[in-house]
Amino acid sequence: MTPRARLAVLLSGRGSNLLALQAAIERGELSAEIVLVVSNEPEAPGLARARELGLPAVAIPHQGAGGRAAHEAQVLAALEEARTEWVCLAGYMRLLSAEFVGRYPQRILNIHPSLLPAFPGLEPQRQALEHGVRLSGCTVHLVDAGLDSGPIVDQRSVPVLAGDQPSDLARRILEQEHQLYAAALRRLLAEEWKVEGRRLVFGPDVEGQSPAARGPRRNSTEGG
Ligand code: GRF
């Protein structure tokens, strides 16, 4: 049996995506276990919710940590201690450095409440409404050192309705986020895939061979 993927979830706030991931695991939809929840905000409701679920959860405050590199070193030490394989950002309000990302190449995911590359950064629902788009949605993507900029794993669209306030659109998008995050991760864990430039491509990398002829599943990564 394939061992369950060891996930760490990094958050700064409410934690509803953490709960959705854990619920998907408990329903048997995701062959994974959450081995650590980290928040840079000690008072984040998501941290309390993680503890209520019995998940290992730690606050690693960025304030007073002695700068970004020192804070990231603390977070990385905690991730390594927990033998983390995948890092899921779920409302984590810190940009990760290239050094941090390089420690988990193509194994850090983020969920963002817009159809990227439209409306990266803060308040994407407000940005979408102000721009006048008719559709928005959510995106799960691999994380690089840019802002909401890594290769896209999957997206769901959500209509913008007349009279929507940012909170209305956010609520409608969040319902989709809760399904999309687990579904995207499930696919990454179950299927072969590789990154070609900006594109994440699912499917075998050896054309014309049956799955049996290709041997066991492996995820290819650029350069290794
Ligand atoms: C979500 O909308 C997510 O897309 C964004 O931050 C929000 C986090 O919500 N990155 P929650 O803390 O998971 O409820």
Side-chain angles (χ1 to χ4, degrees), residues 141-199:
H141 64 94
L142 296 182
V143 170
D144 61 17
L147 177 64
D148 301 321
S149 63
I152 290 169
V153 183
D154 205 355
Q155 299 184 295
R156 291 247 176 120
S157 62
V158 170
V160 176
L161 303 182
D164 265 355
Q165 297 299 308
S167 59
D168 302 315
L169 185 57
R171 194 176 317 114
R172 213 175 303 118
I173 292 173
L174 195 63
E175 285 173 20
Q176 297 303 315
E177 291 185 43
H178 293 161
Q179 298 176 30
L180 183 71
Y181 213 167
L185 180 55
R186 181 168 60 238
R187 224 180 147 192
L188 289 172
L189 295 175
E191 296 185 27
E192 294 182 33
W193 53 274
K194 61 182 178 243
V195 173
E196 291 178 348
R198 275 215 47 86
R199 298 173 59 234

Side-chain angles (χ1 to χ4, degrees), residues 120-143:
L122 295 175
E123 298 195 77
Q125 302 94 342
R126 180 181 299 280
Q127 292 184 54
L129 290 176
E130 286 175 356
H131 197 90
V133 294
R134 303 291 184 186
L135 276 178
S136 191
C138 47
T139 303
V140 172
H141 64 94
L142 296 182
V143 170

Side-chain angles (χ1 to χ4, degrees), residues 41-59:
E41 298 284 357
E43 302 304 323
L47 208 49
R49 296 171 102 175
R51 291 187 176 124
E52 283 162 21
L53 289 174
L55 298 172
V58 291

Side-chain angles (χ1 to χ4, degrees), residues 3-171:
R4 298 200 296 166
R6 300 175 65 82
L7 312 182
V9 177
L10 272 51
L11 55 78
S12 303
R14 181 175 54 185
S16 71
N17 278 289
L18 163 71
L19 298 191
L21 285 171
Q22 178 62 15
I25 290 170
E26 286 172 9
R27 288 194 303 267
E29 295 171 6
L30 198 52
S31 177
E33 62 180 309
I34 295 173
V35 295
L36 185 64
V37 177
V38 177
S39 178
N40 63 308
E41 298 284 357
E43 302 304 323
L47 208 49
R49 296 171 102 175
R51 291 187 176 124
E52 283 162 21
L53 289 174
L55 298 172
V58 291
I60 304 182
H62 61 283
Q63 276 169 348
R68 178 158 96 149
H71 179 250
E72 286 194 343
Q74 287 181 43
V75 175
L76 282 167
L79 297 182
E80 280 164 27
E81 170 79 18
R83 292 186 289 120
T84 301
E85 295 170 335
W86 287 80
V87 179
C88 294
L89 308 184
Y92 188 62
M93 302 303 284
R94 309 266 309 161
L95 265 182
L96 301 181
S97 70
E99 292 71 31
F100 190 110
V101 173
R103 295 285 282 274
Y104 290 92
Q106 300 185 351
R107 291 295 181 275
I108 307 180
L109 295 172
N110 183 40
I111 186 157
H112 183 76
S114 76
L115 292 176
L116 291 171
F119 315 129
L122 295 175
E123 298 195 77
Q125 302 94 342
R126 180 181 299 280
Q127 292 184 54
L129 290 176
E130 286 175 356
H131 197 90
V133 294
R134 303 291 184 186
L135 276 178
S136 191
C138 47
T139 303
V140 172
H141 64 94
L142 296 182
V143 170
D144 61 17
L147 177 64
D148 301 321
S149 63
I152 290 169
V153 183
D154 205 355
Q155 299 184 295
R156 291 247 176 120
S157 62
V158 170
V160 176
L161 303 182
D164 265 355
Q165 297 299 308
S167 59
D168 302 315
L169 185 57
R171 194 176 317 114

